[in-house]
Amino acid sequence: LQKSLSEIFGADKYSRARKEVLTYMFSRPMQMALYFCTGVLDDETLFHHYALNVPFYTHFTSPIRRYADIVVHRLLSASLGARPPIKMEKEAIQKQADHCNDRKMASKRVQELSADLFFSIFVRVRP
């Protein structure tokens, strides 16, 4: 697939834009990861990461980027004994996770609409 796409991208002034748009469109159907509090789930198979094939997985980036990452950092630090436990009930943590998921989905939708707009303009102006 990658070889076929590389041939389609071409080498003209629009090749990079074509590559970005098509790559994005191919990855769009992939299932989006969701934040959740493990304490509210009974089924530990939901902690599995399909692509990495690991039974327990957590994801976070720099805590300066997203609130969800700050929470994950704090929870991991507390679980390792590096800081006191967070004084939040698991239901409150899940409520925060749900809110973060809602914002993430809204952001993704805006990104998709922006890509659709760019692609429409690209198709319209492309001879």
Side-chain angles (χ1 to χ4, degrees):
L1 179 63
Q2 184 63 35
K3 183 179 176 191
S4 297
L5 287 175
S6 294
E7 291 171 6
I8 291 171
F9 297 147
D12 64 343
K13 65 181 182 177
Y14 296 110
S15 61
R16 181 175 175 181
R18 266 195 307 278
K19 179 180 180 182
E20 288 181 24
V21 169
L22 291 174
T23 300
Y24 174 76
M25 292 176 89
F26 280 117
S27 65
R28 188 188 248 178
M30 296 174 72
Q31 183 180 3
M32 192 168 82
L34 296 174
Y35 296 108
F36 61 90
C37 177
T38 58
V40 300
L41 298 178
D42 293 326
D43 185 2
E44 287 188 0
T45 62
L46 296 173
F47 307 167
H48 182 261
H49 190 287
Y50 177 78
L52 297 176
N53 194 27
V54 292
F56 297 101
Y57 178 82
T58 190
H59 170 81
F60 58 92
T61 60
S62 169
I64 64 169
R65 293 192 55 210
R66 291 186 294 248
Y67 178 70
D69 298 319
I70 292 171
V71 173
V72 172
H73 274 254
R74 289 176 181 167
L75 290 168
L76 285 173
S77 292
S79 71
L80 296 171
R83 64 170 289 144
I86 292 179
K87 295 182 183 343
M88 285 178 74
E89 296 294 324
K90 58 186 174 186
E91 292 78 10
I93 294 171
Q94 182 59 49
K95 187 175 180 180
Q96 290 293 324
D98 291 339
H99 178 72
C100 290
N101 289 330
D102 290 342
R103 297 295 85 214
K104 191 164 106 172
M105 283 186 237
S107 174
K108 183 174 178 166
R109 182 67 182 136
V110 169
Q111 182 183 8
E112 290 171 350
L113 290 170
S114 174
D116 290 348
L117 176 63
F118 174 78
F119 187 67
S120 299
I121 293 169
F122 174 76
V123 169
R124 183 179 294 164
V125 300
R126 177 97 169 127

